[in-house]
Amino acid sequence: MHPLFDIDWHGLLVPTVSLLELVLRGSAVYLGVLVLMRVLRRDAGALSTADLLVVVLVADAAQNAMASEYHSITEGGVLVATIFGWNYLLDWLGYRYPRVHALLHPAPLLLVKDGRIQRRNLRAEMLTMSDLKEQLREQGVADVGQVKQCYLEADGRLSVIKQSSEDEPTVERKRAAS
């Protein structure tokens, strides 16, 4: 038979590793990396930590299945399904139970309040003043004094609430206050 059509169907589809072992390995890796990412760093970009983790792990698991790191497509498929299963389960638990949601999604972190920068919170997230000012400029804010509140959201974006015209001190209010 021609080598182009000589396919080892048994090797391609029959697992060589226990499927339960693959589920356990996938679960341990997913949960371990999720915990480390949650403890060591806030979410980055527009993806949540769990979403980013799924993309990375599924890509690796699928790559291993395609590159014969596993001995069958079935093994790669079980690992990919395990990763998606954990992601779905954690999303469902977070939707259903507020405490789980709080564990998976950090609360917004206040960076600016009434025009005053919360330096301790900047240090905690390793953000520099130039990082903050750059992000504020992208939001259309030229001066920190224009900001009533600014939060670092769980997905890494900034939410900016500008001072309203009635919140800004006028010349008359400034004189009355002195």
PDB file of all heavy atoms in Angstrom, residues 87-100:
ATOM      1  N   ASN A  87     -13.624  25.014  33.049  1.00  0.00           N
ATOM      2  CA  ASN A  87     -13.938  26.409  32.769  1.00  0.00           C
ATOM      3  C   ASN A  87     -15.446  26.657  32.863  1.00  0.00           C
ATOM      4  O   ASN A  87     -15.894  27.627  33.476  1.00  0.00           O
ATOM      5  CB  ASN A  87     -13.409  26.804  31.393  1.00  0.00           C
ATOM      6  CG  ASN A  87     -13.509  28.294  31.160  1.00  0.00           C
ATOM      7  OD1 ASN A  87     -13.020  29.081  31.951  1.00  0.00           O
ATOM      8  ND2 ASN A  87     -14.148  28.676  30.075  1.00  0.00           N
ATOM      9  N   TYR A  88     -16.233  25.765  32.264  1.00  0.00           N
ATOM     10  CA  TYR A  88     -17.685  25.905  32.317  1.00  0.00           C
ATOM     11  C   TYR A  88     -18.185  25.781  33.763  1.00  0.00           C
ATOM     12  O   TYR A  88     -19.022  26.574  34.210  1.00  0.00           O
ATOM     13  CB  TYR A  88     -18.356  24.855  31.430  1.00  0.00           C
ATOM     14  CG  TYR A  88     -19.866  24.955  31.469  1.00  0.00           C
ATOM     15  CD1 TYR A  88     -20.522  25.886  30.678  1.00  0.00           C
ATOM     16  CD2 TYR A  88     -20.613  24.153  32.319  1.00  0.00           C
ATOM     17  CE1 TYR A  88     -21.905  26.006  30.731  1.00  0.00           C
ATOM     18  CE2 TYR A  88     -21.994  24.269  32.386  1.00  0.00           C
ATOM     19  CZ  TYR A  88     -22.628  25.192  31.589  1.00  0.00           C
ATOM     20  OH  TYR A  88     -23.994  25.317  31.650  1.00  0.00           O
ATOM     21  N   LEU A  89     -17.677  24.788  34.480  1.00  0.00           N
ATOM     22  CA  LEU A  89     -18.110  24.569  35.864  1.00  0.00           C
ATOM     23  C   LEU A  89     -17.801  25.785  36.736  1.00  0.00           C
ATOM     24  O   LEU A  89     -18.654  26.229  37.512  1.00  0.00           O
ATOM     25  CB  LEU A  89     -17.458  23.314  36.446  1.00  0.00           C
ATOM     26  CG  LEU A  89     -17.794  23.008  37.900  1.00  0.00           C
ATOM     27  CD1 LEU A  89     -19.286  22.701  38.060  1.00  0.00           C
ATOM     28  CD2 LEU A  89     -16.955  21.844  38.409  1.00  0.00           C
ATOM     29  N   LEU A  90     -16.606  26.344  36.599  1.00  0.00           N
ATOM     30  CA  LEU A  90     -16.258  27.511  37.410  1.00  0.00           C
ATOM     31  C   LEU A  90     -17.091  28.726  37.019  1.00  0.00           C
ATOM     32  O   LEU A  90     -17.502  29.499  37.889  1.00  0.00           O
ATOM     33  CB  LEU A  90     -14.761  27.806  37.295  1.00  0.00           C
ATOM     34  CG  LEU A  90     -13.851  26.776  37.964  1.00  0.00           C
ATOM     35  CD1 LEU A  90     -12.393  27.097  37.682  1.00  0.00           C
ATOM     36  CD2 LEU A  90     -14.109  26.680  39.452  1.00  0.00           C
ATOM     37  N   ASP A  91     -17.360  28.907  35.735  1.00  0.00           N
ATOM     38  CA  ASP A  91     -18.244  30.000  35.306  1.00  0.00           C
ATOM     39  C   ASP A  91     -19.640  29.816  35.886  1.00  0.00           C
ATOM     40  O   ASP A  91     -20.255  30.759  36.378  1.00  0.00           O
ATOM     41  CB  ASP A  91     -18.335  30.073  33.776  1.00  0.00           C
ATOM     42  CG  ASP A  91     -17.127  30.718  33.141  1.00  0.00           C
ATOM     43  OD1 ASP A  91     -16.313  31.335  33.863  1.00  0.00           O
ATOM     44  OD2 ASP A  91     -16.991  30.610  31.906  1.00  0.00           O
ATOM     45  N   TRP A  92     -20.144  28.596  35.836  1.00  0.00           N
ATOM     46  CA  TRP A  92     -21.480  28.306  36.353  1.00  0.00           C
ATOM     47  C   TRP A  92     -21.526  28.530  37.864  1.00  0.00           C
ATOM     48  O   TRP A  92     -22.461  29.145  38.378  1.00  0.00           O
ATOM     49  CB  TRP A  92     -21.870  26.865  36.002  1.00  0.00           C
ATOM     50  CG  TRP A  92     -23.244  26.493  36.463  1.00  0.00           C
ATOM     51  CD1 TRP A  92     -24.422  26.762  35.833  1.00  0.00           C
ATOM     52  CD2 TRP A  92     -23.590  25.791  37.664  1.00  0.00           C
ATOM     53  NE1 TRP A  92     -25.472  26.268  36.563  1.00  0.00           N
ATOM     54  CE2 TRP A  92     -24.984  25.666  37.695  1.00  0.00           C
ATOM     55  CE3 TRP A  92     -22.841  25.263  38.706  1.00  0.00           C
ATOM     56  CZ2 TRP A  92     -25.653  25.040  38.737  1.00  0.00           C
ATOM     57  CZ3 TRP A  92     -23.514  24.631  39.740  1.00  0.00           C
ATOM     58  CH2 TRP A  92     -24.900  24.527  39.749  1.00  0.00           C
ATOM     59  N   LEU A  93     -20.517  28.043  38.583  1.00  0.00           N
ATOM     60  CA  LEU A  93     -20.474  28.230  40.038  1.00  0.00           C
ATOM     61  C   LEU A  93     -20.369  29.710  40.396  1.00  0.00           C
ATOM     62  O   LEU A  93     -21.002  30.174  41.350  1.00  0.00           O
ATOM     63  CB  LEU A  93     -19.303  27.452  40.643  1.00  0.00           C
ATOM     64  CG  LEU A  93     -19.445  25.942  40.668  1.00  0.00           C
ATOM     65  CD1 LEU A  93     -18.124  25.285  41.079  1.00  0.00           C
ATOM     66  CD2 LEU A  93     -20.573  25.496  41.583  1.00  0.00           C
ATOM     67  N   GLY A  94     -19.570  30.469  39.616  1.00  0.00           N
ATOM     68  CA  GLY A  94     -19.442  31.899  39.857  1.00  0.00           C
ATOM     69  C   GLY A  94     -20.735  32.652  39.615  1.00  0.00           C
ATOM     70  O   GLY A  94     -21.055  33.615  40.316  1.00  0.00           O
ATOM     71  N   TYR A  95     -21.493  32.209  38.638  1.00  0.00           N
ATOM     72  CA  TYR A  95     -22.799  32.817  38.350  1.00  0.00           C
ATOM     73  C   TYR A  95     -23.794  32.498  39.461  1.00  0.00           C
ATOM     74  O   TYR A  95     -24.579  33.341  39.878  1.00  0.00           O
ATOM     75  CB  TYR A  95     -23.315  32.307  37.007  1.00  0.00           C
ATOM     76  CG  TYR A  95     -24.722  32.743  36.695  1.00  0.00           C
ATOM     77  CD1 TYR A  95     -24.990  34.046  36.294  1.00  0.00           C
ATOM     78  CD2 TYR A  95     -25.784  31.857  36.816  1.00  0.00           C
ATOM     79  CE1 TYR A  95     -26.292  34.454  36.019  1.00  0.00           C
ATOM     80  CE2 TYR A  95     -27.084  32.259  36.537  1.00  0.00           C
ATOM     81  CZ  TYR A  95     -27.330  33.549  36.148  1.00  0.00           C
ATOM     82  OH  TYR A  95     -28.608  33.940  35.884  1.00  0.00           O
ATOM     83  N   ARG A  96     -23.753  31.284  39.929  1.00  0.00           N
ATOM     84  CA  ARG A  96     -24.728  30.787  40.897  1.00  0.00           C
ATOM     85  C   ARG A  96     -24.434  31.211  42.336  1.00  0.00           C
ATOM     86  O   ARG A  96     -25.357  31.433  43.122  1.00  0.00           O
ATOM     87  CB  ARG A  96     -24.728  29.271  40.784  1.00  0.00           C
ATOM     88  CG  ARG A  96     -25.857  28.591  41.423  1.00  0.00           C
ATOM     89  CD  ARG A  96     -26.718  27.883  40.412  1.00  0.00           C
ATOM     90  NE  ARG A  96     -27.374  26.798  41.080  1.00  0.00           N
ATOM     91  CZ  ARG A  96     -28.524  26.936  41.709  1.00  0.00           C
ATOM     92  NH1 ARG A  96     -29.140  28.078  41.689  1.00  0.00           N
ATOM     93  NH2 ARG A  96     -29.060  25.934  42.341  1.00  0.00           N
ATOM     94  N   TYR A  97     -23.137  31.307  42.690  1.00  0.00           N
ATOM     95  CA  TYR A  97     -22.740  31.566  44.072  1.00  0.00           C
ATOM     96  C   TYR A  97     -21.829  32.796  44.143  1.00  0.00           C
ATOM     97  O   TYR A  97     -20.709  32.764  43.636  1.00  0.00           O
ATOM     98  CB  TYR A  97     -22.009  30.351  44.659  1.00  0.00           C
ATOM     99  CG  TYR A  97     -22.844  29.099  44.637  1.00  0.00           C
ATOM    100  CD1 TYR A  97     -22.632  28.120  43.676  1.00  0.00           C
ATOM    101  CD2 TYR A  97     -23.875  28.909  45.553  1.00  0.00           C
ATOM    102  CE1 TYR A  97     -23.410  26.980  43.633  1.00  0.00           C
ATOM    103  CE2 TYR A  97     -24.656  27.771  45.520  1.00  0.00           C
ATOM    104  CZ  TYR A  97     -24.422  26.805  44.557  1.00  0.00           C
ATOM    105  OH  TYR A  97     -25.187  25.675  44.510  1.00  0.00           O
ATOM    106  N   PRO A  98     -22.293  33.856  44.791  1.00  0.00           N
ATOM    107  CA  PRO A  98     -21.506  35.096  44.871  1.00  0.00           C
ATOM    108  C   PRO A  98     -20.113  34.899  45.490  1.00  0.00           C
ATOM    109  O   PRO A  98     -19.164  35.556  45.085  1.00  0.00           O
ATOM    110  CB  PRO A  98     -22.365  36.013  45.744  1.00  0.00           C
ATOM    111  CG  PRO A  98     -23.753  35.496  45.576  1.00  0.00           C
ATOM    112  CD  PRO A  98     -23.619  34.011  45.383  1.00  0.00           C
ATOM    113  N   ARG A  99     -19.971  34.003  46.442  1.00  0.00           N
ATOM    114  CA  ARG A  99     -18.648  33.787  47.060  1.00  0.00           C
ATOM    115  C   ARG A  99     -17.661  33.191  46.063  1.00  0.00           C
ATOM    116  O   ARG A  99     -16.484  33.539  46.062  1.00  0.00           O
ATOM    117  CB  ARG A  99     -18.761  32.895  48.286  1.00  0.00           C
ATOM    118  CG  ARG A  99     -19.390  33.603  49.451  1.00  0.00           C
ATOM    119  CD  ARG A  99     -19.360  32.758  50.684  1.00  0.00           C
ATOM    120  NE  ARG A  99     -20.039  33.459  51.757  1.00  0.00           N
ATOM    121  CZ  ARG A  99     -20.004  33.097  53.000  1.00  0.00           C
ATOM    122  NH1 ARG A  99     -19.348  32.015  53.353  1.00  0.00           N
ATOM    123  NH2 ARG A  99     -20.636  33.788  53.904  1.00  0.00           N
ATOM    124  N   VAL A 100     -18.130  32.298  45.225  1.00  0.00           N
ATOM    125  CA  VAL A 100     -17.262  31.725  44.201  1.00  0.00           C
ATOM    126  C   VAL A 100     -16.889  32.809  43.193  1.00  0.00           C
ATOM    127  O   VAL A 100     -15.732  32.915  42.777  1.00  0.00           O
ATOM    128  CB  VAL A 100     -17.929  30.517  43.502  1.00  0.00           C
ATOM    129  CG1 VAL A 100     -17.088  30.026  42.326  1.00  0.00           C
ATOM    130  CG2 VAL A 100     -18.175  29.387  44.491  1.00  0.00           C
TER     131      VAL A 100
END
